[in-house]
């Protein structure tokens, strides 16, 4: 199975995709419109992803807050279903296991905070933005776990990575104890 958001016929006509590869992949095409064009699927997909991540993190699923569902419906979904999946995973990771899932961050970002308008012109600038985002996310998990890296409900477990991998990421991203503690 293969998926793309590109119009392969158009890409072939423009010389950007090989015709032989197209015929190899085009056995039984299924065309799905983007999530922004089928918003009626948002709630069912959100519940599916939330339940799956709750099982994977051994947390109870207590539902999704109505305010979160409302915001999911109004968002434009430039990242399509993968973005929805990531948002639900973040909500489950940061959920206390007692309340309904809430959004971790505001979805309707102002245009000035989007990468394109932030002046990202090179791959290096995009990598830097990615590292900063990863750094901020890891710090938010470390704050939630009160700096605990290993063991049950430690940051490594919540991030679903090995503690040694988390340690390496923290070193690479220059994350220090003072970044996530109030000492």
């Amino acid at each position: 199975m293969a998926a793309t958001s590109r119009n392969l016929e158009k890409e072939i006509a423009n010389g950007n995709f090989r015709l032989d590869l197209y015929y190899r992949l085009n056995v039984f095409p299924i065309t799905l419109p983007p999530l922004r064009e089928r918003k009626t699927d948002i709630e069912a997909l959100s519940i599916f992803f939330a339940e799956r991540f709750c099982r994977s993190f051994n947390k109870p699923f207590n539902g999704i807050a109505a305010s979160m569902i409302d915001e999911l419906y109004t968002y434009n979904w430039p990242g399509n279903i993968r973005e929805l999946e990531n948002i639900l995973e973040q909500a489950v990771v940061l959920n206390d296991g007692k309340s309904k899932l809430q959004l971790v961050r505001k979805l309707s970002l102002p245009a000035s905070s989007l990468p394109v308008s932030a002046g990202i012109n090179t791959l290096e600038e995009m990598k830097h933005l990615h590292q900063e985002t990863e750094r901020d996310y890891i710090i938010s998990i470390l704050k939630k776990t009160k700096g605990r890296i290993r063991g049950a409900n430690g940051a490594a477990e919540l991030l679903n990575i090995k503690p040694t991998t988390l340690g390496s990421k923290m070193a690479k991203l220059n994350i220090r104890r003072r970044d996530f503690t109030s000492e």
Side-chain angles (χ1 to χ4, degrees):
M1 185 179 295
T4 183
S5 61
R6 306 250 174 147
N7 179 332
L8 293 183
E9 290 89 356
K10 188 175 180 181
E11 294 296 318
I12 291 167
N14 292 337
N16 297 324
F17 197 81
R18 291 183 6 215
L19 186 59
D20 65 312
L21 183 55
Y22 171 76
Y23 285 119
R24 197 174 285 223
L25 294 172
N26 196 29
V27 176
F28 191 81
I30 300 172
T31 304
L32 284 175
L35 188 56
R36 67 182 155 274
E37 293 177 15
R38 52 191 175 98
K39 294 199 173 198
T40 55
D41 293 347
I42 289 174
E43 188 167 5
L45 285 167
S46 297
I47 291 169
F48 170 78
F49 289 134
E51 287 176 336
R52 187 177 81 191
F53 288 123
C54 283
R55 274 192 308 276
S56 129
F57 294 122
N58 293 319
K59 288 186 172 186
F61 176 61
N62 298 309
I64 301 172
S67 61
M68 181 174 177
I69 293 290
D70 291 343
E71 192 153 353
L72 295 177
Y73 276 119
T74 59
Y75 189 58
N76 194 34
W77 299 106
N80 217 344
I81 292 177
R82 286 185 186 96
E83 184 180 13
L84 176 65
E85 184 178 13
N86 291 341
I87 286 168
L88 268 295
E89 183 175 14
Q90 288 174 359
V92 169
V93 166
L94 296 176
N95 184 268
D96 61 8
K98 299 173 188 156
S99 57
K100 291 185 176 193
L101 297 178
Q102 298 283 339
L103 277 175
V104 174
R105 61 178 171 83
K106 191 90 169 125
L107 291 179
S108 52
L109 297 172
S112 62
S113 68
L114 296 175
V116 172
S117 61
I120 294 180
N121 298 311
T122 66
L123 182 58
E124 281 305 310
E125 290 172 350
M126 183 54 92
K127 285 180 182 177
H128 178 72
L129 177 64
H130 175 6
Q131 286 179 336
E132 286 300 310
T133 304
E134 184 178 24
R135 184 179 193 279
D136 292 345
Y137 183 60
I138 290 172
I139 288 171
S140 74
I141 297 295
L142 287 164
K143 284 180 179 177
K144 182 168 179 56
T145 63
K146 296 180 177 58
R148 184 177 182 172
I149 293 173
R150 299 176 179 274
N153 295 319
E157 181 181 280
L158 293 180
L159 291 166
N160 199 26
I161 59 176
K162 294 178 182 178
T164 53
T165 303
L166 178 55
S168 297
K169 283 183 176 287
M170 289 171 64
K172 178 183 171 194
L173 298 169
N174 197 27
I175 298 173
R176 306 285 179 243
R177 183 162 288 282
R178 67 177 178 272
D179 295 325
F180 54 89
T181 60
S182 57
E183 296 172 4

